[in-house]
Amino acid sequence: MSKDIKILAIESSCDETAAAVVVNGRKVLSNVISSQIDIHKKFGGVVPEIASRKHIENIALVVKDAIEEAGIELNDIDAVGVTYGPGLVGALLVGLQYAKGLAYSINKPLIGVNHIEGHISANFIQYPDLKPPFACLVVSGGHTFIVYMKDYGEFEVLGQTRDDAAGEAFDKIARAIGLGYPGGPKIQEMAKSGDENAIEFPRAKFHDNSLDFSFSGVKSAVLNYLNTMNMQEKEINRADVAASFQKNVVDVLVDNTIKACKIKKISRIAIAGGVASNSFLRKRMIKSGKENGIEILFPEPILCTDNAAMIGSAAYFEFKKGNIAPLDLNAIPNLKLGER
Ligand code: KG4
Ligand code: ZN
């Protein structure tokens, strides 16, 4: 039997400072997340400069906690994995510089991880026997993609958003109806008491074979609806707005992903990213999967939103391929999936 590989992983691409210890890309020994949500919600969204400063304050403690909770010594780890893009450059640099210093000081390899690949890899933790190929719908605050994961670290993008990400749309609409940041979980909660068929918002349509998304249209339509109602001094039913908006976005996500699987003859879909924790999306995906003979997988919610365990999983598969990063690795804010 080959030796277990323990990876210490660090994630700081947005507003969570996170560190985790993961064995063989599948087993989580610790998963520590220090969220800055309470700080940013006063501003209605993430303030990059504040995020960087908070990462600097938190990173050393978060890493120390991850090592302690895993019940190991720093020298027991085999490599340091770290997110180096995509994300906010100042935020990424904090985790990256810390990881480099740590890897150098204990003389262990450094592995640069793509944040999106990390989100997809959360599924390898949830399903320890899962292997590529499969399709993945990645839906987060900054990204909306349908990808085909051919093999570990090998991706073909089948569809993507042409404007806003799905999570970004949730956050903007939540702000417009006075729910605050982050919008996704709040819209989900409010939608429970609303009628999803109350208001018909438009859906973007591209040519028949396109698997792309666009959420700027539905976003503007909701904002126009709210303005019109206000001007006419009519009462707004926020639960109906939340439910109708959520249904609109989820329908498009599910329909396009199922269409992608039919075109590509793929029989398994994983979902990933913060929006993948949305219970309505999960339900709709399962239902549509059943109707079309497609298996649906998703990680538990704590592995959907930003965390370092998913980075530790992706780092392991890069490590196995020999993708060791140089110590002058830089942060790449717009790093593409599959690029190094
Ligand atoms: O993956 P993530 O934590 O960070 C990025 O990489 O962007 O995703 C955060 C996004 C936010 O836009 C948040 O509103 C959304 O995920 N989100 C949700 C839910 N939980 C988080 N959206 C819809 N429903 C949820 N339950
Ligand atoms: Zn993320």
Side-chain angles (χ1 to χ4, degrees):
M1 244 181 72
S2 54
K3 175 187 173 295
D4 281 347
I5 302 294
K6 287 192 192 74
I7 293 189
L8 169 70
I10 295 176
E11 153 66 39
S12 70
S13 66
C14 191
D15 60 344
E16 332 279 354
T17 321
V21 178
V22 181
V23 183
N24 296 340
R26 307 272 183 176
K27 190 170 167 225
V28 179
L29 297 187
S30 63
N31 188 18
V32 178
I33 304 167
S34 167
S35 172
Q36 304 176 3
I37 283 177
D38 283 345
I39 299 158
H40 296 287
K41 74 179 178 199
K42 292 185 218 115
F43 304 98
V46 177
V47 184
E49 170 68 17
I50 297 176
S52 311
R53 285 168 185 259
K54 288 288 155 192
H55 285 312
I56 291 172
E57 282 173 29
N58 294 335
I59 187 95
L61 261 179
V62 167
V63 170
K64 183 170 169 279
D65 283 356
I67 294 284
E68 278 176 13
E69 275 184 31
I72 61 165
E73 303 288 324
L74 201 46
N75 267 313
D76 295 335
I77 63 170
D78 297 284
V80 180
V82 63
T83 307
Y84 73 108
L88 302 168
V89 69
L92 286 165
L93 280 168
V94 177
L96 181 58
Q97 297 303 75
Y98 195 89
K100 286 192 216 175
L102 193 62
Y104 181 70
S105 70
I106 57 173
N107 197 22
K108 296 285 159 85
L110 177 78
I111 301 158
V113 175
N114 180 309
H115 182 78
I116 308 297
E117 187 176 342
H119 273 302
I120 298 170
S121 298
N123 285 282
F124 294 126
I125 297 172
Q126 191 70 42
Y127 303 95
D129 297 323
L130 176 66
K131 292 186 175 66
F134 54 85
C136 188
L137 171 69
V138 186
V139 267
S140 71
H143 308 275
T144 306
F145 287 111
I146 303 172
V147 294
Y148 178 50
M149 186 173 190
K150 293 184 245 187
D151 202 345
Y152 296 106
E154 280 182 43
F155 306 95
E156 182 188 345
V157 175
L158 304 178
Q160 58 190 304
T161 183
R162 297 195 183 178
D163 40 56
D164 293 359
E168 195 180 348
F170 268 95
D171 293 337
K172 283 181 182 158
I173 297 309
R175 195 181 328 165
I177 58 174
L179 295 178
Y181 178 84
K186 294 186 170 153
I187 296 249
Q188 173 183 308
E189 214 29 55
M190 177 147 269
K192 284 183 185 156
S193 53
D195 172 5
E196 62 182 25
N197 298 313
I199 314 151
E200 188 68 39
F201 295 121
R203 276 153 217 219
K205 268 227 153 64
F206 300 112
H207 64 82
D208 281 353
N209 292 328
S210 172
L211 297 167
D212 282 352
F213 303 97
S214 164
F215 297 108
S216 64
V218 59
K219 186 189 70 187
S220 304
V222 178
L223 297 178
N224 285 341
Y225 171 84
L226 296 172
N227 278 339
T228 309
M229 293 292 278
N230 279 331
M231 274 179 347
Q232 294 174 349
E233 294 179 358
K234 287 187 184 155
E235 201 179 319
I236 294 167
N237 183 327
R238 296 195 304 166
D240 283 354
V241 175
S244 304
F245 162 76
Q246 178 175 258
K247 180 177 190 313
N248 180 299
V249 172
V250 165
D251 279 354
V252 176
L253 291 174
V254 173
D255 291 353
N256 268 16
T257 311
I258 298 285
K259 187 166 125 192
C261 287
K262 284 185 177 164
I263 294 173
K264 287 285 196 178
K265 302 199 175 6
I266 303 168
S267 60
R268 198 159 45 169
I269 301 171
I271 56 176
V275 184
S277 56
N278 183 277
S279 54
F280 186 67
L281 171 65
R282 289 168 177 245
K283 250 187 253 157
R284 275 278 283 109
M285 225 14 155
I286 292 171
K287 183 166 176 282
S288 222
K290 266 197 191 128
E291 288 162 3
N292 290 282
I294 297 170
E295 186 188 359
I296 307 294
L297 311 173
F298 40 77
E300 61 178 306
I302 193 71
L303 294 173
C304 287
T305 42
D306 286 350
N307 66 87
M310 66 185 199
I311 303 302
S313 174
Y316 170 77
F317 296 108
E318 295 297 345
F319 179 81
K320 292 286 276 185
K321 290 174 129 188
N323 283 331
I324 307 300
L327 284 177
D328 64 354
L329 180 68
N330 205 351
I332 306 182
N334 57 356
L335 182 66
K336 301 277 178 297
L337 193 60
E339 265 179 24
R340 295 210 66 80

